[in-house]
Amino acid sequence: MTHRIAVIPGDGIGPEVVDASLSIVADAADEYGFSIETTRFDWGSERYVETGAMMPEDALDRLESFDAILLGAVGHPEVPDHVTLHGLLLPIRKGFDQGVCVRPSVLFPGIESPLRGYGAGDIDFVVYRENTEGEYADVGGREHRGFPHDVAVQSAVFTREATETVVRAAFEAASEREGTLTSVTKSNAQAHSMVFWDEVVDDVATEYPAVAVERLLVDAACMDLVRRPEEFDVLVASNLFGDILTDIGAQITGSMGLAPSANVDPDGDYPSMFEPVHGSAPDIVGRGIANPIAAVLSCSMLLDDLGEGDAADALWDAVSAQLDDPGAPRTPDLGGDAGTEDVTADLRSRL
Ligand code: NAD
Ligand code: IPM
Ligand code: MN
C-alpha cells in the first residue's frame, strides 16, 4: 500500500520539524510494511517575497488528490501575519472543508507540568475546534481609511452545518472516551452566535444521551484549564476560542513543542491536514533546537487517518518512552540542551 502525502514545510522551524518527523515516518513505513510517497511544495513566505504569492493559484487543485497533507508552520517576521496566513494555511483549511480541528493535550510521563502536583496522564483532554468559520470568517472590511472616522468591521459567521459538524464530532469522541463533553462559549455576551451554538449542542445532545454535557464560558474555561485540567475529557469550541484554549493546553502539558493537531474534513471528500499547533518560532529558527515532537505526534495522527494504526501507535509510544527516559535527549523548551537531530535520532532508535 502506498500513501501519497503532500508536504508543505512552510516557514521558520517548519522545515526543521517536518524533515525530522518525515525521517521517522519513513522508518515506520519500512517497519510496518507500507510505503509513503511524499511530494514537497516549497510554498510560504520566501515564495511570497519573490513572487507576491504564498502558493500558486492552482494550489488546492494540486493538493486535492493527495491522501493527506503535512504542514510545518507559516509566518515570517518580515511579512505581515494576516498576509501569510490568509495566503496559505487558512485557504487550505477552508477550501478543503476541514471543519474539525482535533487537538489533544496529554501530559506525558516524564514531563513536568508548570501546574503543581500533576503527573503522567493526569491531564488528558482533546479540544474539537471549529475550523472554517466563526470568528475566522473572512467577512467584513475597512472604510474611511486615513480619516479620523476610520472603521473596521469583522463579522463572525456561524452556520448550522459547520457548528453541527464539529459538535457531532466532539460528541462521537466523548462517547468513545470518558463520556463527558464541555462546550465552551461566551453566550452571556454574544447572544446571537453563542446562544445559537448552545442550541445546536442541545439538538445534537439528544442523539448522545450517554454523554454528560458541561457548559463553560470561555473565560471560566481558561481559568479551569489551569485550576482543574484533570476534569476535562473532550472540549468543543469555536474557531478562535479553540485556538486560545489549545495554547493553554500545550503549555500545561509541557511545551508548544509537544502539541499536535489534525484538520479534518469529516466527509472525507478532501485530504486532511496535519500540523503542529505551534507556529514558525522565529526566535529559534536555524539554531537546530526546535522540538520535533509536536510534528512527530501530528504524523502519528496522520498515519492513523491513513489507516496505519499500528505505525501511528508506534510513533506515539516512541515519543512517550523517550519523554519518560531521564537519560534521553531533550530540546531546550523541555529544559534540555539537545538539538532537533539528537531527539530525532533517539526516536528513530526507539521505533
Ligand atoms: P510560535 O508557536 O511560533 O512560538 C511561541 C513560542 O513557543 C516561541 O518562544 C517558540 O520558540 C516556542 N516554540 C514553538 N514551537 C516550538 C518547538 N517546536 N520547539 C521549541 N519551542 C517552540 O508562536 P508565535 O511566536 O506567536 O508566532 C510566530 C509566527 O508563527 C507568527 O508569524 C504566527 O502568525 C505564526 N503561527 C503560525 C502557526 C501555524 O502555521 N499553524 C501557528 C501559530 C503561529
Ligand atoms: C493555529 C494558529 C493559526 C490559527 C493562526 C496562525 C492563523 O494560531 O493553528 O493555532 O489561529 O488557527
Ligand atoms: Mn494557535
Side-chain angles (χ1 to χ4, degrees):
M1 180 88 184
T2 300
H3 303 293
R4 295 177 60 246
I5 303 179
V7 179
I8 310 174
D11 301 330
I13 63 167
E16 301 172 26
V17 299
V18 159
D19 288 343
S21 52
L22 281 177
S23 70
I24 300 169
V25 169
D27 289 350
D30 289 345
E31 183 75 22
Y32 290 90
F34 58 93
S35 57
I36 293 282
E37 192 185 296
T38 57
T39 305
R40 200 179 168 100
F41 296 95
D42 285 322
W43 300 340
S45 296
E46 277 172 27
R47 188 183 190 283
Y48 176 83
V49 171
E50 282 160 23
T51 71
M54 294 289 288
M55 56 184 189
E57 265 176 31
D58 63 349
L60 294 196
D61 294 334
R62 290 165 69 177
L63 294 174
E64 190 169 341
S65 68
F66 285 89
D67 299 317
I69 303 166
L70 174 65
L71 178 98
V74 180
H76 192 285
E78 275 149 42
V79 188
D81 281 336
H82 68 274
V83 171
T84 54
L85 276 314
H86 282 270
L88 203 161
L89 177 68
L90 299 176
I92 299 175
R93 289 183 186 163
K94 292 184 190 193
F96 284 162
D97 209 13
Q98 294 167 342
V100 178
C101 182
V102 184
R103 297 190 159 184
S105 284
V106 178
L107 184 57
F108 279 98
I111 293 295
E112 197 181 341
S113 170
L115 305 180
R116 255 196 325 270
Y118 288 93
D122 291 345
I123 304 175
D124 184 351
F125 59 81
V126 56
V127 175
Y128 278 68
R129 167 187 181 188
E130 198 292 314
N131 210 34
T132 55
E133 53 172 44
E135 308 86 344
Y136 283 37
D138 208 6
V139 176
R142 295 277 298 270
E143 283 288 6
H144 313 306
R145 280 182 201 247
F147 289 96
H149 51 294
D150 194 5
V151 61
V153 174
Q154 180 103 44
S155 298
V157 172
F158 289 80
T159 63
R160 180 166 287 272
E161 187 172 347
T163 309
E164 244 181 58
T165 298
V166 71
V167 166
R168 182 166 285 109
F171 268 103
E172 284 291 327
S175 308
E176 284 164 23
R177 290 171 56 109
E178 288 166 21
T180 314
L181 176 73
T182 307
S183 173
V184 180
T185 62
K186 189 68 189 177
S187 311
N188 52 354
Q190 297 186 304
H192 306 302
S193 58
M194 291 291 152
V195 171
F196 172 79
W197 179 286
D198 287 339
E199 287 169 15
V200 172
V201 171
D202 284 340
D203 291 346
V204 179
T206 61
E207 298 167 32
Y208 299 89
V211 174
V213 180
E214 176 191 30
R215 291 164 200 282
L216 279 184
L217 300 171
V218 66
D219 46 354
C222 290
M223 176 184 73
D224 279 343
L225 280 176
V226 173
R227 187 172 64 158
R228 54 171 187 100
E230 72 281 8
E231 291 180 23
F232 292 100
D233 181 28
V234 179
L235 298 94
V236 64
S238 66
N239 211 335
L240 179 62
F241 293 173
D243 178 45
I244 295 166
L245 295 173
T246 51
D247 264 29
I248 298 179
Q251 277 310 314
I252 62 176
T253 53
S255 170
M256 286 308 291
L258 297 177
S261 83
N263 305 281
V264 181
D265 164 25
D267 295 330
D269 294 335
Y270 299 101
S272 292
M273 177 164 68
F274 300 81
E275 51 165 333
V277 171
H278 65 71
S280 54
D283 54 336
I284 57 165
V285 66
R287 292 168 53 194
I289 56 166
N291 191 339
I293 291 179
V296 173
L297 294 176
S298 302
C299 286
S300 171
M301 296 176 82
L302 180 154
L303 290 172
D304 201 44
D305 182 71
L306 295 177
E308 301 295 350
D310 290 341
D313 290 348
L315 259 62
W316 199 278
D317 293 347
V319 167
S320 189
Q322 181 186 72
L323 294 174
D324 197 24
D325 179 351
R330 284 184 175 206
T331 45
D333 57 306
L334 295 177
D337 57 6
T340 312
E341 283 180 10
D342 308 312
V343 171
T344 306
D346 180 83
L347 284 173
R348 295 180 72 173
S349 74
R350 289 172 195 270
L351 205 63

